[in-house]
Amino acid sequence: MAKQKKKGQAGQAKNYITRTQAVRKLQISLPDFRRLCIFKGIYPREPRNIKKANKSATHSTTFYYTKDIQYLLHEPLLAKFREQKALQKKIAKSLGRNELQDAVRLERNGMPKIKLDHLVRERYPTFIDALRDLDDALSLLFLFANLPSTETVPPNVIARCHRLCHEFEHYLITTNSLRKSFLSIKGIYYQATIQGQDIMWLVPYRFVQRVTQDVDYRIMGTFVEFYCTLLGFVNYKLYSSIGLVYPPRFDTASDERGAELAAFTLEGRNVADNAIENGHATKQLTNGHAQDQNSADVQATIDKIAQAGDNEASEQVQEEPTEDVGNDGDVDKFEVAAPEGDELPQPQASSNEAAALFSNLTFFISREAPRHPVEFLLRAFGCKRIGWDRVLGEGAFTFDEADPKITHQVVDKPVPAVTNAEQSTAKPGYIVAGRIYVQPQWIWDCANEAKLLRTDVYAPGATLPPHLSPWMRPVKGQYDPRATLEEQQLEGEEDELSEEEAQELLENAEPDVSDDEEDVIDAAEGMTVEMADGSDEVEEEEDNVDDTFGGFDAEPDAESANEEDDHQVELAAEAAGKSLSRKTSQKSSKDKRKQERLTKQKKEDEEVERQKMMMSNKKRKLYEKMQHGNKIKDAEAEKLRSKRRKIEQKQKR
């Protein structure tokens, strides 16, 4: 006889474990269990059969994989958590005895420090794995870098996130890895390409943040603690890959005065070693004056290392087999082979093109413009000379708004013109002759298009063009705000007005038919009446028409009747020696085009119905669902086009 299996010891009852059982098995508190699961990347699971997994219990609970909890039994952090718990008991005893000095001493010196280095190596075996999981880390760290300090969010955490984010931005600026950016309601989206991996993160706007009580900042703080360790590892690897010292030198006093990116000093490994040996300190590499601020010896060392690197690169190129290729700097563009074919995704701009986009321009950021996003985007795309007002902080190329070297000024409000008397002094906030003024959106659109756009469209006070997401491709049939109505509207869509539009036109429009045209139409009606009453030939023709079979379709009769009426109007106009106006001819041509479209659409619908009859039931239902979704999208696009058509008509009036 086979051995009988006991209930609750196999299957889902054995594969899953409740959270209460897991906490008891690990012998830690619930907050420590949550922290440990976040650090290790273990999440709750939902079994297929909750009743079997819960051993016929009906209460709701959270389940985990049993193997995951067994994996946590060997975690070194469990010993740290137990040491912290024992220390908290000692501190509580000291406070109970009124020994405040002993409690403070134990809290300062006895608290065990938790290191998460081994967890980063466990969860990310390769560096590419860490880059792929960097999206959420960057979004959360940039969020905490902009939060105000509270009891739940201490200032040291905010300062650490702020510093790590700026270090990552310096790497993007140095390597020109930033590719796209988008201004949305939630914040500013950025996308960078690092070692072939596309990384996208969200940075909130620098508004006054209100910390609400409905958010559990303890859990978010646990994620921040792990992500800070992860980003520190990633920054070290990225800086080392391009030959820079990590961490870069950080000037705390300059950062307190609002320098932000300019508070960091980047230096190469060999350059730093030689400078230390020779007793020279490397100056700060920032904002256009880096080469001028270095000493002669340090600058000679930099040139020597750069020349050696160029020679090594040229030798490697010579060793490789040569191939017949075109210009490496040019990016291939995939064109659509067929007029109705899908549009292929175009390749992104290279780092060389990104580095040369704003390299020849000098910018000045006005007070009302957001300084840090504009500065970061300009420097990431090659700009070396950026100035701003002194009240915005240190690190500017120039604080003088009247500097003649400035070619472009970023403003976010209309700028008054300078009079002839004030032109020599050039007051701040006034237009300077020979300088281009643009709104901040121009920088984002130029970066997304990888080319310099027209500046007159982005002039101060002008209505800006639509700022669309660079990750959305235009789909045929959908509304595209960048294209004109003639390019995207369907055939005959402009002629077919809705009831509301037609009512508005009838109320506001003047009569289209002139007095001469009314006389011609009346004459034509009189001619038809006389011919119908006094001509025997017409009666004979009508008898012959009645005897013949006209078919089942009444539409050709209506069409022929309209043609006869138009012909009678033309004959009357010729008899009266007058010509019909352009409006009447356009009206008749519109009716003819509409009739042709209806006939063509009817034939296409009949052909589709015949093809649907040949389909199976499953395919026919799937096709109908697809058509239903397409009709909804077409209706939305048509609604947007009609709104735009109304706006353009009002502007023309």
Side-chain angles (χ1 to χ4, degrees):
M1 183 176 179
K3 186 177 180 180
Q4 294 182 355
K5 293 182 180 180
K6 293 183 180 181
K7 185 178 180 181
Q9 294 184 359
Q12 296 192 39
K14 184 179 179 181
N15 295 335
Y16 293 93
I17 187 174
T18 62
R19 187 179 65 179
T20 305
Q21 294 172 350
V23 171
R24 290 177 182 174
K25 193 170 186 178
L26 296 174
Q27 297 180 1
I28 57 176
S29 61
L30 183 59
D32 290 341
F33 175 74
R34 288 173 177 167
R35 291 184 66 193
L36 188 60
C37 289
I38 292 173
F39 289 155
K40 298 287 288 186
I42 295 174
Y43 301 97
R45 308 292 179 175
E46 184 176 358
R48 287 176 293 180
N49 193 330
I50 299 178
K51 187 176 181 181
K52 289 182 180 180
N54 208 9
K55 299 177 182 179
S56 302
T58 57
H59 62 278
S60 60
T61 184
T62 306
F63 294 94
Y64 291 86
Y65 280 142
T66 306
K67 291 184 177 181
D68 290 342
I69 303 303
Q70 290 176 351
Y71 177 63
L72 292 178
L73 287 172
H74 308 285
E75 177 56 42
L77 289 179
L78 287 175
K80 295 290 184 179
F81 290 156
R82 293 181 182 122
E83 290 178 7
Q84 288 182 352
K85 188 176 181 180
L87 183 64
Q88 289 175 358
K89 288 182 180 180
K90 292 180 181 180
I91 293 174
K93 286 182 180 180
S94 299
L95 292 175
R97 298 170 186 171
N98 290 329
E99 298 175 353
L100 300 181
Q101 294 182 356
D102 292 342
V104 172
R105 178 180 55 81
L106 289 173
E107 188 175 1
R108 287 182 178 177
N109 303 326
M111 186 65 68
K113 296 181 180 180
I114 296 177
K115 293 185 178 180
L116 307 178
D117 302 348
H118 66 286
L119 296 179
V120 175
R121 289 193 291 267
E122 286 179 7
R123 294 182 60 177
Y124 307 107
T126 62
F127 185 62
I128 298 299
D129 296 332
L131 290 178
R132 290 173 182 169
D133 201 25
L134 208 59
D135 299 353
D136 296 336
L138 289 174
S139 299
L140 189 60
L141 293 182
F142 273 99
L143 172 63
F144 266 70
N146 294 319
L147 286 179
S149 61
T150 58
E151 294 180 356
T152 55
V153 186
N156 58 344
V157 175
I158 297 175
R160 187 183 180 189
C161 296
H162 195 266
R163 183 170 179 175
L164 288 171
C165 293
H166 282 338
E167 290 173 357
F168 182 74
E169 288 179 346
H170 265 295
Y171 171 79
L172 300 179
I173 292 171
T174 306
T175 58
N176 301 110
S177 301
L178 194 66
R179 290 293 173 266
K180 296 178 182 178
S181 181
F182 175 60
L183 300 167
S184 69
I185 299 176
K186 297 180 181 179
I188 306 175
Y189 285 92
Y190 294 99
Q191 182 185 6
T193 303
I194 301 175
Q195 297 186 9
Q197 301 296 324
D198 292 334
I199 303 171
M200 185 188 299
W201 68 98
L202 176 63
V203 179
Y205 294 112
R206 292 194 173 181
F207 298 141
V208 178
Q209 303 289 341
R210 294 182 180 180
V211 180
T212 58
Q213 300 298 329
D214 56 347
V215 179
D216 193 350
Y217 286 94
R218 294 178 301 175
I219 296 178
M220 296 179 66
T222 306
F223 278 101
V224 167
E225 187 177 357
F226 175 75
Y227 285 152
C228 285
T229 307
L230 172 62
L231 188 57
F233 270 82
V234 172
N235 286 345
Y236 171 75
K237 182 67 175 178
L238 294 177
Y239 274 64
S240 301
S241 63
I242 59 176
L244 294 179
V245 176
Y246 185 83
R249 292 188 182 182
F250 179 68
D251 189 357
T252 307
S254 180
D255 183 68
E256 291 176 354
R257 292 191 293 267
E260 294 186 351
L261 290 174
F264 293 84
T265 304
L266 304 183
E267 53 189 13
R269 290 186 177 277
N270 296 331
V271 176
D273 296 339
N274 294 334
I276 293 173
E277 291 177 0
N278 298 330
H280 299 285
T282 312
K283 296 293 183 179
Q284 190 171 351
L285 304 178
T286 176
N287 224 353
H289 290 303
Q291 302 295 338
D292 298 336
Q293 292 179 357
N294 290 334
S295 61
D297 298 337
V298 175
Q299 185 60 41
T301 307
I302 294 174
D303 297 338
K304 183 179 179 180
I305 294 173
Q307 186 176 3
D310 295 340
N311 294 334
E312 292 178 0
S314 61
E315 291 176 359
Q316 292 178 0
V317 171
Q318 290 177 1
E319 292 176 0
E320 294 178 356
T322 56
E323 297 179 359
D324 295 335
V325 294
N327 295 329
D328 296 337
D330 299 337
V331 179
D332 296 334
K333 293 184 179 180
F334 303 119
E335 298 180 356
V336 181
E340 297 180 356
D342 296 335
E343 197 169 312
L344 297 173
Q346 300 296 333
Q348 298 179 353
S350 61
S351 59
N352 295 331
E353 293 180 352
L357 187 60
F358 300 122
S359 59
N360 298 326
L361 307 179
T362 303
F363 284 85
F364 189 88
I365 305 174
S366 300
R367 295 183 182 181
E368 70 278 0
R371 177 206 144 186
H372 180 73
V374 173
E375 180 193 2
F376 170 60
L377 202 65
L378 288 174
R379 296 183 67 182
F381 282 88
C383 186
K384 302 297 182 183
R385 300 172 298 275
I386 308 172
W388 53 77
D389 197 273
R390 194 178 297 275
V391 298
L392 298 180
E394 292 185 353
F397 168 73
T398 178
F399 296 112
D400 185 12
E401 188 175 347
D403 193 337
K405 297 179 182 178
I406 299 172
T407 59
H408 292 69
Q409 184 166 347
V410 182
V411 296
D412 208 6
K413 63 180 182 180
V415 183
V418 177
T419 59
N420 294 330
E422 298 173 342
Q423 193 168 4
S424 59
T425 59
K427 289 184 177 181
Y430 285 80
I431 292 179
V432 179
R435 185 180 301 178
I436 300 175
Y437 290 81
V438 292
Q439 298 188 44
Q441 184 182 330
W442 180 77
I443 301 173
W444 267 264
D445 291 347
C446 290
N448 294 333
E449 296 292 336
K451 63 180 181 180
L452 297 179
L453 302 177
R454 293 173 49 187
T455 56
D456 56 340
V457 184
Y458 300 86
T463 302
L464 295 172
H467 181 61
L468 304 179
S469 172
W471 299 283
M472 296 296 294
R473 291 186 297 160
V475 181
K476 186 177 181 181
Q478 293 186 2
Y479 177 71
D480 187 5
R482 292 174 293 189
T484 60
L485 283 175
E486 290 78 8
E487 295 177 355
Q488 56 182 326
Q489 67 185 359
L490 302 177
E491 183 181 0
E493 182 181 346
E494 188 177 3
D495 299 338
E496 299 176 359
L497 300 176
S498 61
E499 296 181 0
E500 298 178 358
E501 293 176 346
Q503 187 67 23
E504 291 179 1
L505 291 176
L506 288 174
E507 292 176 358
N508 300 328
E510 299 178 356
D512 294 337
V513 183
S514 60
D515 297 336
D516 297 337
E517 293 172 2
E518 289 180 356
D519 298 338
V520 172
I521 295 173
D522 293 339
E525 291 177 354
M527 290 176 61
T528 54
V529 171
E530 291 176 0
M531 290 177 66
D533 293 339
S535 177
D536 297 335
E537 296 177 358
V538 174
E539 291 180 358
E540 292 178 0
E541 290 178 359
E542 289 179 355
D543 294 338
N544 295 332
V545 169
D546 293 338
D547 294 338
T548 59
F549 177 71
F552 295 100
D553 195 0
E555 290 184 0
D557 295 338
E559 184 178 356
S560 60
N562 293 332
E563 291 179 356
E564 290 178 0
D565 294 340
D566 296 340
H567 183 62
Q568 293 295 333
V569 171
E570 293 175 359
L571 289 176
E574 291 179 0
K578 299 176 181 179
S579 61
L580 294 176
S581 67
R582 187 180 300 174
K583 292 183 179 179
T584 308
S585 60
Q586 288 179 355
K587 186 177 180 181
S588 60
S589 63
K590 284 182 180 180
D591 294 338
K592 291 179 181 179
R593 290 199 302 268
K594 184 177 181 180
Q595 188 66 29
E596 292 176 357
R597 286 196 303 270
L598 291 175
T599 306
K600 183 179 179 181
Q601 185 65 31
K602 186 177 180 182
K603 292 181 180 179
E604 291 178 356
D605 294 341
E606 291 177 354
E607 182 65 24
V608 170
E609 290 295 330
R610 282 195 293 269
Q611 293 178 358
K612 286 170 63 177
M613 291 173 62
M614 304 298 294
M615 295 181 182
S616 62
N617 190 21
K618 183 178 180 180
K619 291 183 179 180
R620 184 168 61 252
K621 288 183 179 179
L622 180 61
Y623 176 78
E624 290 175 354
K625 287 182 180 179
M626 293 169 57
Q627 291 298 109
H628 179 69
N630 293 336
K631 285 181 181 179
I632 294 176
K633 294 179 181 178
D634 294 341
E636 293 177 356
E638 186 177 355
K639 185 178 180 181
L640 293 173
R641 287 195 294 267
S642 63
K643 287 183 179 180
R644 181 174 176 180
R645 194 177 294 111
K646 286 182 181 179
I647 295 173
E648 291 183 356
Q649 288 177 357
K650 289 181 181 179
Q651 291 177 353
K652 290 180 181 179
R653 293 175 186 174

